[in-house]
């Protein structure tokens, strides 16, 4: 069981908006350590999507946005496109474990 | 641009040592103050951080693997290595090398290799 909790799956129609939640605790997100998000298309390596809660690396469309509050964080994707289909992982640091930690991942299906 | 490439045996026998190398190209492994991490992903499962190493040689490992894992850095070769001893089938996974950005309130992975599948089987 992952230290960060994500919903196993979300779905949405093309053009719509979806959000993915990531819930932690006082030893990680609430400590407060920043939250980062990765996109993984099956069969490929994860790709950094959002870093330090709400920042997008160069080349990531502004359809992707992140936020954090208390012990939770969220990833929002607007204007869903077919190639958004894949897995999304949140990640942070946990000071009681002394480790980088990941959520269990959320499968996004674009209907 | 900087790229990472994992290499090593795809099949390891139980109780033996898994050894992988990550070669960094397009930039120096010693520049930028980065750490270098290994992360693994069993088939159909999530991501698990294994550990990190700095070009100073400083390391940190996940607690549950600490007794079996060792990482090294070879700055002249622009490589980092991973050794995992006494492997079992539970260590079967895709192993990724990743560049790690570290600050007071964050650790995150901004560059990833393509990953290499390691199967533990006799």
């Amino acid at each position: 069981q992952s230290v960060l909790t994500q919903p196993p799956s979300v779905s949405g129609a093309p053009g719509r908006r979806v959000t993915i939640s990531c819930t932690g605790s006082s030893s990680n997100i609430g400590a407060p350590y920043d939250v980062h998000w990765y996109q993984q298309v099956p069969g490929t390596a994860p790709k950094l999507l959002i870093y330090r809660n709400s920042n997008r690396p160069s080349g990531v469309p502004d359809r992707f946005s992140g936020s954090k509050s208390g012990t939770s964080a969220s990833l929002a994707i607007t204007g869903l496109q077919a190639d958004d289909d894949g897995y999304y992982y949140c990640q942070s640091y946990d000071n009681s474990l002394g480790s980088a930690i990941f959520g269990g991942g959320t499968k996004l299906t674009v209907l | 641009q900087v790229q990472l490439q994992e290499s090593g045996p795809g099949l390891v026998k139980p109780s033996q040592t898994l050894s992988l190398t990550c070669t960094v190209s397009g930039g120096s492994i010693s520049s930028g103050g980065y750490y270098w991490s290994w992360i693994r992903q069993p088939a159909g499962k999530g991501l698990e951080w294994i550990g990190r190493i700095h070009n100073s040689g400083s390391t940190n490992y996940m607690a549950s693997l600490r007794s079996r894992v060792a990482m090294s850095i070879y700055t002249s070769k622009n490589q980092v290595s991973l050794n995992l001893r006494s492997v079992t089938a539970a260590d079967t996974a895709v192993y990724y090398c990743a560049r790690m950005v570290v600050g007071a309130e964050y650790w995150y992975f901004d560059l990833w290799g393509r990953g290499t599948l390691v199967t533990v089987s006799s």
Side-chain angles (χ1 to χ4, degrees):
Chain A
Q1 189 164 345
S2 303
V3 179
L4 301 178
T5 301
Q6 297 180 236
S9 63
V10 297
S11 62
R16 305 292 288 191
R17 178 181 186 269
V18 295
T19 62
I20 299 172
S21 62
C22 175
T23 303
S25 69
S26 59
S27 62
N28 43 70
I29 298 175
Y33 292 103
D34 291 345
V35 178
H36 324 285
W37 292 89
Y38 303 87
Q39 178 192 52
Q40 186 177 34
V41 175
T44 69
K47 166 192 164 186
L48 180 64
L49 198 62
I50 297 287
Y51 66 97
R52 300 203 65 191
N53 305 319
S54 59
N55 296 280
R56 285 185 306 276
S58 174
V60 174
D62 60 6
R63 301 186 298 105
F64 296 90
S65 62
S67 63
K68 175 189 152 182
S69 178
T71 59
S72 295
S74 288
L75 173 70
I77 309 171
T78 59
L80 276 176
Q81 300 179 358
D83 60 4
D84 295 334
D85 218 80
Y87 288 84
Y88 293 80
Y89 294 90
C90 61
Q91 179 256 312
S92 187
Y93 173 81
D94 190 285
N95 61 19
S96 66
L97 298 172
S99 294
I101 53 172
F102 290 92
T106 299
K107 173 71 171 75
L108 168 62
T109 301
V110 180
L111 302 170
Chain B
Q1 71 279 25
V2 178
Q3 293 184 318
L4 286 65
Q5 178 68 59
E6 304 87 349
S7 59
L11 181 64
V12 181
K13 289 182 167 50
S15 80
Q16 295 193 343
T17 297
L18 178 161
S19 296
L20 296 175
T21 299
C22 173
T23 301
V24 179
S25 60
S28 170
I29 202 170
S30 300
S31 65
Y34 297 106
Y35 284 74
W36 304 89
S37 276
W38 289 94
I39 295 160
R40 67 182 182 179
Q41 185 174 36
K45 296 188 178 180
L47 301 162
E48 179 177 67
W49 179 75
I50 298 170
R52 69 172 191 174
I53 187 166
H54 188 259
N55 60 28
S56 65
S58 168
T59 56
N60 298 95
Y61 304 131
M62 183 173 77
S64 63
L65 294 177
R66 196 167 291 145
S67 63
R68 297 196 291 130
V69 70
M71 295 181 186
S72 299
I73 190 164
Y74 305 95
T75 54
S76 61
K77 295 183 180 180
N78 246 24
Q79 291 179 335
V80 295
S81 69
L82 169 69
N83 284 314
L84 184 63
R85 297 180 292 276
S86 304
V87 297
T88 70
D91 295 309
T92 295
V94 174
Y95 285 75
Y96 294 101
C97 174
R99 189 173 74 176
M100 186 185 209
V101 180
V102 174
E105 295 178 345
Y106 55 88
W107 290 11
Y108 66 90
F109 310 98
D110 70 335
L111 278 179
W112 296 65
R114 292 187 174 186
T116 187
L117 174 63
V118 179
T119 302
V120 178
S121 175
S122 55

